[in-house]
Amino acid sequence: MQHVRLPHRRGGALLALLLALLSVTSVTSVAAAAPPGQRTRTQDEPVVSTDHGPVRGRSHGTYATYEGIPYAAPPTGPLRWRAPQPARRWEGVRDAGAPGPKCLQLPVFGPGSLTGSEDCLYLNVTAPAGRAPERGRPVMVWVHGGGFTGGSGSEYDAGRLAARGGTVVVTLNYRLGALGFFGHPELGDAPSFGLADQQAALRWVRANAARFGGDPHNVTLFGESAGAISTCAQLTSPTAAGLFHKAVLQSGSCTTTFPRGAVVPGTPAFSFSAPQKAVQDAGAAAAARLGCRGPGALDCLRGMSAEKLVTPELSQLFSTPAYGNALLPEAPDRALAAGRFHRVPVVQGSTSDEMRLFVGINLDTYPLRNEHDYRARLTDSFGASADAVAAEYPLSAYPTPALAWSALLTDATFACGSYRANKALAGRVPTYAYEFADRDAPLVEGIPVRPGFPYGASHAFELAYLFTAFPLQKPLTEAQVALSDRMTGYWTRFARTGDPNAPGAPRWPLFRDRDPLTLSLAPGAGGIRPADFGAAHHCAFWERQR
């Protein structure tokens, strides 16, 4: 699948917005359900001295939180569309009992006003209670998803990872949409500001992790969806060298792409990177539409209110990292295939039914009722290859056309993309592949129930097994809680040692090119087991279609 030039990305940007659905819907509800000021806590308020001044956190018994810590100066006024600058020192003890503002964003679906602030470069630290070992605890830095247009770090409660796993967890905000991924000729080859923000947060972690009991020489970068795509980009970024020592990619990789019409018929094929020149051209065209032309156009744009810049059109247009700059010299998928990436251990995986979420929430608008609908979508997406895809995914093998379409999209996008990326990684670094396969995973509140269309183990459904406080439509069963505990153990053991295996846990084999086994993660006896992921997801077939 080819890269799509940015000016023609309207349909692809819609897919990027769709990737935000679960994180934005679910975590907004989390924030409403459990605001920091109402959390149960003791009277103890721990104070930690950072390199910019002391912060007062909140104790939660087995762990403590420190929220809303600035890791860079507010990117406002003359600092809009500039590399993140150092935060100012503060006098006295800064209260860190509530998160800072999320970065400016619009609702993913339906009408609504802007939320968040342009002053948004804050992070949050969750640390286990008690004295840290002399060498410090492993540090895990979370990059949130949201299609590069939504979400925030504070929406993920890392108490389980900290308390059960003995890790220091950092969640962060980064600039989004037109404020984070804008380009313009006057900016030259400036990298995507959202990715630069992530690196600035990692530099903060390097300087401050030990103060929270963490080991700055043992940092794991991890993320989901756009956060995983960001993590893979950082794996290939020369300017990220030494900032992290392990990586976990959940449902997103350097090779994640969408075929034409994947969710909305007629929309172009889409990949999560764009040439620098295409981003610059798109920025110049957008500036002209806003009345900012010729020399000084960038100053004109910097003088505008954020409300004129964070619009649906611009947020959709600028939702892709740019390559051809110092941070990303080349497209991340090409760098990965060529072996130009940091030599760190990697965990990478996806869910069994990634695309059911996106197909399911759009069935009212884009129904798949019968063979005619199915064939029409195949022809729109695959053209001359439609017959071959139909033969590989015959309707007779699936209960409904919608489930058949979801299965082939899952394989063509996330599943075989991560499989191909794992093959590129495995010859050079320790690589562990997983598939979240709990097809009875509970839905997050707000996702519509569709009789006859089970969502299964869909996109982002594993998040509730790692982060606490997600508002689910039904609670986890005893077996699912056990799976959650096991996953937490795997993730944090990997962060500690670079190998997720621990005594008493089912063995997680290395992914090798000659023996490409993936660990299937499902509840119940025998639910955690090695599986032939490539065969299950028809990856040899999709490789032939490239």
Side-chain angles (χ1 to χ4, degrees):
M1 298 174 188
Q2 295 180 345
H3 293 278
V4 180
R5 291 183 63 82
L6 197 64
H8 305 290
R9 287 186 57 257
R10 182 180 300 274
L14 176 59
L15 290 176
L17 284 173
L18 289 172
L19 289 176
L21 171 71
L22 188 63
S23 64
V24 173
T25 300
S26 64
V27 294
T28 298
S29 300
V30 172
Q38 296 180 17
R39 290 177 180 167
T40 301
R41 61 177 186 262
T42 70
Q43 296 302 310
D44 297 328
E45 295 187 333
V47 175
V48 172
S49 294
T50 76
D51 63 346
H52 280 65
V55 294
R56 178 179 291 109
R58 299 291 185 269
S59 174
H60 306 271
T62 56
Y63 64 93
T65 56
Y66 307 82
E67 299 177 296
I69 303 174
Y71 68 84
T76 59
L79 295 185
R80 179 187 285 173
W81 298 316
R82 294 194 189 280
Q85 300 298 305
R88 290 184 178 179
R89 293 188 58 85
W90 54 84
E91 298 297 328
V93 179
R94 180 187 180 98
D95 186 74
K102 61 184 177 181
C103 291
L104 274 175
Q105 54 195 266
L106 287 163
V108 177
F109 293 103
S113 58
L114 280 173
T115 56
S117 170
E118 203 170 352
D119 174 5
C120 65
L121 299 186
Y122 298 91
L123 53 74
N124 316 284
V125 180
T126 304
R131 186 178 182 87
E134 184 176 349
R135 291 171 53 186
R137 298 182 172 102
V139 181
M140 303 180 74
V141 180
W142 175 253
V143 185
H144 69 79
F148 296 108
T149 64
S152 71
S154 60
E155 296 163 340
Y156 296 84
D157 187 327
R160 177 187 291 139
L161 290 168
R164 284 192 63 88
T167 60
V168 176
V169 184
V170 179
T171 67
L172 61 102
N173 297 346
Y174 56 94
R175 282 174 279 182
L176 303 167
L179 295 174
F181 296 89
F182 183 74
H184 190 277
E186 291 184 27
L187 286 170
D189 291 336
S192 296
F193 302 103
L195 295 185
D197 293 342
Q198 295 167 16
Q199 292 189 7
L202 286 166
R203 289 191 292 272
W204 184 95
V205 168
R206 183 170 59 188
N208 290 281
R211 302 165 188 261
F212 294 87
D215 179 357
H217 304 292
N218 189 11
V219 175
T220 297
L221 186 64
F222 73 134
E224 186 270 341
S225 195
I229 293 166
S230 295
T231 299
C232 199
Q234 302 294 1
L235 271 173
T236 71
S237 171
T239 55
L243 293 179
F244 59 97
H245 313 94
K246 305 173 190 70
V248 178
L249 290 75
Q250 301 175 212
S251 297
S253 74
C254 289
T255 55
T256 299
T257 59
F258 289 85
R260 173 182 168 84
V263 175
V264 177
T267 55
F270 180 60
S271 63
F272 284 92
S273 62
Q276 188 87 23
K277 181 63 163 57
V279 178
Q280 292 173 346
D281 290 346
R289 290 195 298 273
L290 291 168
C292 296
R293 299 178 176 85
L298 199 59
D299 288 338
C300 172
L301 290 170
R302 286 194 174 113
M304 287 186 172
S305 67
E307 287 76 8
K308 291 185 177 180
L309 299 167
V310 186
T311 64
E313 179 187 10
L314 294 182
S315 293
Q316 292 173 21
L317 186 60
F318 298 103
S319 58
T320 297
Y323 64 85
N325 52 64
L327 192 149
L328 286 182
E330 62 183 319
D333 61 338
R334 295 173 193 156
L336 195 75
R340 290 186 283 273
F341 58 86
H342 302 305
R343 298 301 192 255
V344 301
V346 175
V347 164
Q348 181 165 233
S350 58
T351 69
S352 297
D353 308 298
E354 291 277 2
M355 292 299 291
R356 286 194 194 181
L357 175 64
F358 309 122
V359 173
I361 62 176
N362 282 283
L363 279 176
D364 289 339
T365 307
Y366 303 103
L368 282 151
R369 296 159 294 202
N370 48 43
E371 183 177 3
H372 178 270
D373 291 345
Y374 183 60
R375 291 294 308 200
R377 297 291 288 273
L378 286 170
T379 300
D380 178 51
S381 292
F382 302 106
S385 299
D387 287 344
V389 179
E392 190 75 11
Y393 296 86
L395 274 181
S396 60
Y398 301 91
T400 67
L403 290 172
W405 182 245
S406 300
L408 73 88
L409 285 182
T410 291
D411 297 352
T413 57
F414 292 98
C416 295
S418 68
Y419 188 74
R420 186 163 63 253
N422 281 331
K423 281 182 168 286
L425 291 161
R428 300 174 174 94
V429 298
T431 303
Y432 296 89
Y434 78 88
E435 178 177 41
F436 177 75
D438 183 3
R439 284 185 157 151
D440 194 37
L443 300 182
V444 171
E445 289 180 4
I447 296 177
V449 175
R450 298 199 178 279
F453 186 87
Y455 287 96
S458 199
H459 187 71
F461 281 23
E462 88 284 10
L463 292 178
Y465 292 66
L466 295 170
F467 296 94
T468 52
F470 277 79
L472 303 175
Q473 295 185 20
K474 62 178 181 179
L476 296 178
T477 66
E478 183 177 345
Q480 288 170 330
V481 170
L483 175 62
S484 170
D485 290 344
R486 185 65 73 199
M487 289 172 60
T488 300
Y490 281 137
W491 261 242
T492 55
R493 176 77 175 189
F494 176 77
R496 179 169 286 103
T497 68
D499 182 339
N501 290 289
R507 182 73 183 168
W508 189 338
L510 274 167
F511 183 99
R512 303 179 190 275
D513 190 47
R514 65 179 182 276
D515 191 21
L517 291 176
T518 294
L519 192 70
S520 179
L521 297 169
I528 300 178
R529 56 182 177 79
D532 188 344
F533 181 91
H537 290 279
H538 306 250
C539 291
F541 169 80
W542 290 109
E543 194 65 21
R544 293 193 298 270
Q545 305 308 306
R546 295 183 64 218

